[in-house]
Amino acid sequence: MTFQPCGVERGIAQASRVVFAQSINLQSINQSFQEGVKFTTKSNTYTYEGNMLSYMIGIDLSCNALCGKIPPEIGSFSEIQVVNLSHNKFIGFIPETFSNLSQIESLDLSYNNLNGSMPSQLIELNSLVAFCVAHNNLSGKTPDFTPQFATFEKSSYEDNPFLCSPPLPKSCYEAGSPSSSMPDFKEEEEEDDIGWIDMSIFYTSFWASYGTIFLAVITILLINSRCRRTWFYYVDAFIIYSYYFIVDSFHKLGKNGR
């Protein structure tokens, strides 16, 4: 697992801290170690020394000007309790492997350049007490409001302009929000499909009704001679009327043309 410094000077200046944070395994440190170790967790900085070091497992790489993607291998440290990668320049997605950190109590990824949606698997972190992804470029819906994530306020997600749903005031169903634009587009397509389905049903029912009426009229004319005579009488009358109407119209047009 490696981390990439963004600038040579900045990377060298903070190299000792990076190496210390990468190589530290507080469980394996000799209990007689008396030098205090400052560690930032749950938005506070604590000093661990002596026997207390054996009860704390964590990674603090905050404020190191690190860039690139967050190594997904961090998710393999199932016993880790604290991960602080804040105030760096990490890009890309939040690794889904973070859902394997079953013992984690504090996860701080704030002040980076992370993007994409938040992994839905994060709701499996039942031991999480402190959580912050503020000041990134994350988008989409915040994790489901489970009993664990319901304890985190909007400050944990602030300054992610494309994030939506509680505890943020922005709804994912607001017009123009990136997370709702695609569903809206799909809904429009579905409405168009429904419209075409309705029109096809209309035409089918129309022609079926027309055919039924036509067959009913023909059947009545074939069976009932009186109706048949009456039908042909009116048909002949209509033809004669139409003929004299057309002839009279042409006659009048001829007179007016002179």
Side-chain angles (χ1 to χ4, degrees), residues 212-242:
T212 302
I213 294 172
F214 178 77
L215 291 175
V217 171
I218 296 299
T219 302
I220 293 173
L221 293 177
L222 291 175
I223 296 175
N224 194 319
S225 59
R226 183 178 178 182
C227 291
R228 186 166 59 250
R229 287 194 298 270
T230 304
W231 169 265
F232 285 116
Y233 170 78
Y234 282 111
V235 170
D236 290 339
F238 177 76
I239 293 174
I240 294 172
Y241 174 81
S242 300

Side-chain angles (χ1 to χ4, degrees), residues 196-209:
W196 281 108
I197 293 173
D198 291 344
M199 291 301 297
S200 63
I201 294 175
F202 169 77
Y203 287 127
T204 302
S205 59
F206 172 79
W207 288 110
S209 301

Side-chain angles (χ1 to χ4, degrees), residues 19 31 34 36 48 53 63 105-106 131 167 202 204 228 242:
V19 172
Q31 293 185 1
Q34 297 299 319
Y48 296 87
L53 291 173
C63 304
E105 299 178 3
S106 177
F131 175 74
F202 169 77
T204 302
R228 186 166 59 250
S242 300

Side-chain angles (χ1 to χ4, degrees), residues 83-101:
V83 173
N84 186 355
L85 304 178
S86 64
H87 294 85
N88 285 291
K89 298 180 180 179
F90 286 115
I91 60 173
F93 301 153
I94 298 175
E96 294 182 359
T97 55
F98 276 17
S99 62
N100 299 326
L101 303 176

